Structure formats: structure tokens, C-alpha cells
Amino acid sequence: MLMKIAVPVNNLLTFYHLNPFTAPKFVIYSVDGDSSNITFGLTSVVDNPWIAQNSGAFENSQISCSCDTTTCSDMHHISEHYALLEAIGGCKYLLVDHHCDNVTRAMKNGGVQVYKIPPIINKIDTAIKNFILGASLASTFKHIHYAS
């Protein structure tokens, strides 16, 4: 089982809990193994394509996922979310805390499943372990550790 997972991060490379559309970067991890042993390791760190486009200036409604109904149904706003697929393309999952329906729709249409991470998690390795456990795979695993 080889899969790639994208995680939105802030500039300190800790989990970004707000709308992933506004995250400064994404870390891409590869997860590999079988039912008795899983390894994961950092593959790359990629910039959010919107940071270069708008110098990281997002509206509070975008950051907090509180866009009004009119904005959420605006075709331009919907298409903005598809740009994330350029950054995280090839990933099977995007781990998030807060996200809007447009993120979910864009990722689903791009073949990426969105997985919710609890707001108390800040470390990337904990987020990935939570994902692995929460995805109902843990009952068959004996070891989960970093790839060396």
C-alpha cells in the first residue's frame, strides 16, 4: 500500500488548522507498508500557489471558511480551490481541520479524499498517525514509525 498524503502547514511547518485554501504550504508524505508494519516519510514541501498570486493576503471569511452563500456559489471562487490540486496532485488524501464545501468538492473531483483531523493536533506525525488509526487500519498494524 503506497499512498501520498498532503497536510496543510504554516510557515513553521506545524499543522494549519484554518481553511487549507489559505495555508502557506503543504507537506507531502508517502505512506507505505502492510498490515504489520507501516512507514511514512516526508516527500516534499510545496508552496500554496495562491501565496505567490496574492502575496498571502486572504480575507478573514476565506481564512475561517465563512464565505457567504453568494461567494461560495461564485464560479471564480469555486475554481480558486482547484489550484490546490496543482500543489498536492498525486495525493490520495488531504488532512484538514476546517474546510469549506468548495475544498471538499474540488478535492473529490481531483481524486483526493479529505480527512478531518481534530483541532488539538499540531504535529504532523501525530496527524498522520491519527489518520492511519482513524482510517480503521490500526487494528491490523503492529508498528507505525518513521521511514529511515
Side-chain angles (χ1 to χ4, degrees):
M1 148 193 81
L2 177 62
M3 73 175 103
K4 286 184 174 181
I5 297 173
V7 182
V9 294
N10 60 28
N11 288 322
L12 300 174
L13 300 183
T14 59
F15 196 90
Y16 186 80
H17 286 279
L18 303 172
N19 187 352
F21 170 69
T22 64
K25 300 178 182 304
F26 293 88
V27 290
I28 311 297
Y29 277 81
S30 293
V31 179
D32 199 6
D34 58 31
S35 63
S36 65
N37 190 28
I38 291 185
T39 59
F40 62 94
L42 179 66
T43 303
S44 61
V45 178
V46 295
D47 291 328
N48 180 340
W50 284 111
I51 299 301
Q53 182 70 27
N54 68 3
S55 301
F58 293 99
E59 296 175 14
N60 285 338
S61 60
Q62 292 174 306
I63 295 168
S64 64
C65 300
S66 60
C67 296
D68 60 37
T69 306
T70 303
T71 302
C72 286
S73 59
D74 177 71
M75 186 54 68
H76 178 70
H77 182 73
I78 291 169
S79 65
E80 289 174 332
H81 291 75
Y82 282 88
L84 294 182
L85 291 171
E86 287 296 315
I88 67 165
C91 290
K92 184 169 173 115
Y93 294 95
L94 171 63
L95 309 186
V96 301
D97 182 358
H98 293 293
H99 63 291
C100 64
D101 291 340
N102 287 334
V103 168
T104 302
R105 186 178 315 115
M107 295 303 108
K108 180 180 178 185
N109 289 341
V112 178
Q113 293 181 341
V114 176
Y115 184 85
K116 177 127 172 63
I117 295 295
I120 60 170
I121 292 177
N122 291 310
K123 294 181 179 181
I124 303 306
D125 63 332
T126 304
I128 293 172
K129 289 175 184 177
N130 179 276
F131 161 73
I132 292 169
L133 295 172
S136 300
L137 301 173
S139 63
T140 59
F141 297 143
K142 295 179 183 172
H143 304 286
I144 299 174
H145 57 85
Y146 285 104
S148 46

